[in-house]
Amino acid sequence: MSDMGNDGDAAMMRQPRGQSGWALAVALGMLAISMALASWFFLCRKTTYFDDAFIYLHMAANIVEAGTARYFPITGSSMLLSSSPLRLLTLVPGLLALELAQVPLRTIEAARFAFLSSGLVSFLVFLPFWRNRLKAYMWVGVVLFLLGMSLDAVFLMEGGVLFLSLLSLAKLLAERSSNHFAVGLAVLLVGLSRPEFGAVAVVVTALVYHSQPRALGRILQGLAAGAAIYWIVMAALGVWPIPSTIWSKQVTGKLRLFSQENLIGVLPAQIAETLGSKQAWVGWLLLILPAAFSLMLRRAAIPVLIALGLLLAIAFSMPGNFPWYSQNFLLAWLVVMVAVAVELRRQRLDRAAFAMAGMALLALALTLMTNLGRNVDRAWNENSPMYLGYQEVGRSSIGDGKYIIQRYLDEPVRIRMCEIGIVSFYSGHDAWIFDICGLVQIGNLKDASNSWLSHFYPASFAESGEDQLARFKDDAKVRVIDVWSMSGQKDVERAKSKCGFVDYRLCINRYR
C-alpha cells in the first residue's frame, strides 16, 4: 500500500461546513430509514433461522439469566461454544433489556429482538474507529442494516461483526493511521469475530507495518491490552477464552461429519446464487477481480494477494454445508474490493479505482436486489415441522437436564441429539443434551484427543456424553432417548422403519 500521506487526500475531501452538515444529515436520515426497515422486517416478517443461531442465543440468555457463558452450566464444563465471541456478546444487551423489562427471554419474539438489536450494538462497538469519518460510517450503517435484511449471516450469525471489523481494520490500514494502538484493537476484534479471519488480519497488518518496528510494537500493545480485557471478561463469565468450537469443527471437518464437500468446492456457486445467478463462473469472477486489480498496486499488491490466498486456503479446510460461511466470505471479499479501490485512488489510478469501486457496488446491489426482505426456505424456519418439533422438545424441559415429552412418555428422560440449538434455547439454562455430533462433548468425536488443537484446552474438555451422564446421580434410573425432528412427510415415511416412536414431528429411539 502507498506510503503517501493523508494531507493531499484530506484537502481533496474537505467540504464547506454547511455542505458537510447537510451530507451528514442525509446520511443520518438514510441510516434511520434502514434501521426502521430492518426493525419492521425482523420484528414482523422474519421467519428464516439457523439452528446454530440459537446456540449463540442460548449462551447469551445464560449470561443474562445465570451470569455464565457456559453452554450447559449444570455440567460445570467451562467450554466456550462460540466461534465468534464478539457475536455472542453483541446479543447480550438486547436480552438484558428484555430481562429488565420482565419480558420472557426464551421466546421467538425475544429471539427476533435480540437478533435485531445485535446489529445496533455491533454498529456502536465499531463507531470509535470512525470518529474522523462519521459520514462514511453512517453509510456503512445503512449498508449493514440492508445486508441484515438480505443475508442471514449478518444478524443471525457473525457476519455483521466480521464485516464491520474487517472494514474498520481496512480503513485504519488505508489511512496509515497514527493510532497504532487502535490498529491492534481492530486486529483483535477481527479475531473475535472469526478466529481464522483474525489470523489473516495479523499477517496482513504485519506486512503493512513490517518496516516500522515502533508502530508494530504499539500495535502489539493494543492487541495485548484488548486480549487481556477479553480474557478477564471470559473468566468472569466462567469459560475458557479460546472457543472450543475451533477444536470440534476441525475434527468434524476432518471426519467429513456434516459434508463431503469443502467450502472452496461450493463457494463460487453459492456466491453466484447470492448475486442472483445460477452460473458458478460469476462467483469465480468476483473472487478473482480484487486480485487482478491489485496487481496495478505494485508492492502494495503483496498484502492483498496474500490475504486473498490465505482466505482461499482456509476455505479448503471448512465444510461446504453451512450457508453463512459463504456469506461471510462474500462480505470479506466486498471489503477487500473496497480496500483495493481506495488504494488505487491513492496511487492516482483513478480509472481502475472507479472500476473496482463500481464492481463492489454492483456486487452489493445484486446482493440486495436478490435477497432484500427474503425469507429463504430452510428446515429450521419458524413454524416448519422441524422447528416446531425441536421447540416442543425444548419446552418439555423440567430442569436438571431432563424432559417429559408427553406424546412419547409420561416420565422424565434425558435426550441425545445432533441439532442442539433450538432445543437448548427453549430448555433454559439448566438444560443438558447428549450431543451426538460432538460440539458440546468433543469426546464423542473419533480421535478428537489426537488433534494438535487439544493442547490448547484443559484435559476435561475431551470428555464424552457418557462421561457427563455418569455424573448425574440418577443416571441409572433415567431413560436416555435419541430424538430427531422431521422436516416433512418424506422424513416421516422413512422414519417409520427406523424409529420406535414416530409421529408427524418426532422420531424417537431408546438409547438405553
Side-chain angles (χ1 to χ4, degrees):
M1 294 190 180
S2 171
D3 294 327
M4 186 181 297
N6 295 324
D7 293 342
D9 295 296
M12 286 189 298
M13 297 174 66
R14 194 175 294 125
Q15 295 176 305
R17 182 170 298 178
Q19 184 179 347
S20 178
W22 275 107
L24 180 59
V26 170
L28 284 169
M30 292 302 296
L31 176 62
I33 291 172
S34 66
M35 291 175 63
L37 287 172
S39 299
W40 168 78
F41 177 67
F42 267 84
L43 298 180
C44 303
R45 304 286 295 178
K46 184 68 174 173
T47 59
T48 296
Y49 305 103
F50 298 121
D51 186 73
D52 289 63
F54 288 89
I55 292 177
Y56 280 116
L57 269 180
H58 174 64
M59 286 183 287
N62 284 354
I63 291 173
V64 174
E65 294 173 341
T68 180
R70 295 179 178 182
Y71 199 78
F72 294 140
I74 63 175
T75 67
S77 173
S78 59
M79 297 170 70
L80 175 61
L81 266 70
S82 173
S83 298
S84 175
L86 184 58
R87 194 285 172 278
L88 168 62
L89 294 176
T90 61
L91 285 166
V92 173
L95 290 175
L96 181 59
L98 294 178
E99 177 78 359
L100 293 174
Q102 297 184 332
V103 175
L105 302 187
R106 309 275 179 167
T107 66
I108 194 61
E109 292 78 16
R112 292 197 202 104
F113 180 81
F115 289 139
L116 173 67
S117 62
S118 71
L120 177 59
V121 172
S122 302
F123 177 76
L124 294 176
V125 164
F126 290 94
L127 179 60
F129 294 107
W130 295 77
R131 287 177 298 175
N132 63 334
R133 294 284 190 272
L134 281 179
K135 289 194 299 292
Y137 194 57
M138 297 305 105
W139 287 107
V140 169
V142 172
V143 172
L144 174 71
F145 283 96
L146 292 178
L147 284 172
M149 297 172 61
S150 306
L151 302 179
D152 290 325
V154 175
F155 288 167
L156 298 187
M157 301 298 290
E158 66 275 356
V161 290
L162 179 64
F163 175 69
L164 292 175
S165 63
L166 288 172
L167 198 58
S168 298
L169 178 61
K171 178 246 186 197
L172 293 173
L173 295 180
E175 290 177 344
R176 286 299 192 275
S177 174
S178 60
N179 189 349
H180 302 123
F181 191 89
V183 174
L185 288 176
V187 171
L188 175 70
L189 291 175
V190 175
L192 295 181
S193 299
R194 283 294 309 191
E196 61 272 24
F197 283 82
V200 176
V202 168
V203 172
V204 170
T205 304
L207 287 171
V208 171
Y209 287 97
H210 74 280
S211 62
Q212 304 176 50
R214 289 186 179 179
L216 274 176
R218 188 65 175 156
I219 289 170
L220 287 174
Q221 287 178 4
L223 183 61
I229 293 172
Y230 167 71
W231 279 61
I232 292 171
V233 171
M234 291 300 105
L237 295 176
V239 290
W240 185 253
I242 305 174
S244 61
T245 48
I246 300 174
W247 178 14
S248 60
K249 289 186 177 180
Q250 186 261 346
V251 176
T252 56
K254 186 177 180 181
L255 295 173
R256 304 284 186 182
L257 186 62
F258 298 117
S259 174
Q260 294 300 310
E261 289 187 288
N262 55 28
L263 181 59
I264 195 65
V266 299
L267 183 60
Q270 290 183 349
I271 287 178
E273 183 180 357
T274 302
L275 299 179
S277 172
K278 296 182 179 180
Q279 303 298 321
W281 66 263
V282 174
W284 279 116
L285 179 62
L286 188 76
L287 293 173
I288 293 170
L289 273 174
F293 273 80
S294 72
L295 294 176
M296 302 180 197
L297 298 174
R298 300 185 296 277
R299 289 180 61 187
I302 295 174
V304 176
L305 294 174
I306 289 179
L308 296 176
L310 288 174
L311 288 173
L312 290 176
I314 289 168
F316 270 103
S317 65
M318 301 178 78
N321 64 312
F322 298 120
W324 61 93
Y325 283 3
S326 62
Q327 292 180 6
N328 285 342
F329 271 77
L330 173 58
L331 293 168
W333 243 254
L334 289 175
V335 171
V336 174
M337 293 171 76
V338 170
V340 171
V342 169
E343 193 59 31
L344 287 166
R345 177 76 175 105
R346 286 188 179 282
Q347 297 194 19
R348 300 298 187 261
L349 300 170
D350 291 348
R351 290 185 179 179
F354 291 138
M356 185 80 273
M359 298 287 186
L361 286 173
L362 177 61
L364 175 63
L366 290 173
T367 298
L368 297 180
M369 289 171 59
T370 305
N371 303 284
L372 187 66
R374 177 184 172 208
N375 281 300
V376 181
D377 185 18
R378 293 198 178 98
W380 312 277
N381 287 4
E382 185 180 347
N383 297 323
S384 69
M386 183 173 288
Y387 169 86
L388 292 173
Y390 285 147
Q391 181 188 59
E392 178 187 347
V393 173
R395 287 178 171 174
S396 70
S397 171
I398 60 171
D400 194 36
K402 291 182 283 192
Y403 299 79
I404 296 180
I405 305 173
Q406 300 250 344
R407 287 188 293 113
Y408 169 67
L409 192 68
D410 288 329
E411 65 181 54
V413 296
R414 300 194 194 278
I415 60 176
R416 295 197 335 150
M417 60 194 320
C418 183
E419 295 172 317
I420 63 173
I422 295 171
V423 174
S424 300
F425 175 69
Y426 284 109
S427 296
H429 62 267
D430 55 355
W432 182 83
I433 298 171
F434 190 126
D435 179 15
I436 299 172
C437 292
L439 190 66
V440 185
Q441 298 112 11
I442 299 177
N444 294 340
L445 300 173
K446 182 181 178 182
D447 296 329
S449 59
N450 295 329
S451 169
W452 62 273
L453 285 171
S454 64
H455 300 294
F456 292 92
Y457 302 91
S460 62
F461 283 18
E463 67 181 358
S464 67
E466 291 290 350
D467 295 329
Q468 292 186 358
L469 262 179
R471 292 208 299 271
F472 287 108
K473 294 180 179 179
D474 57 0
D475 172 44
K477 302 177 183 178
V478 179
R479 182 181 302 196
V480 181
I481 61 173
D482 290 335
V483 180
W484 301 88
S485 187
M486 292 173 288
S487 58
Q489 190 58 37
K490 289 184 178 179
D491 280 355
V492 173
E493 295 301 321
R494 286 195 294 266
K496 287 179 179 178
S497 62
K498 300 178 180 179
C499 302
F501 172 88
V502 181
D503 66 6
Y504 62 99
R505 286 183 187 169
L506 298 176
C507 158
I508 297 176
N509 279 320
R510 182 168 180 170
Y511 174 64
R512 67 172 203 191

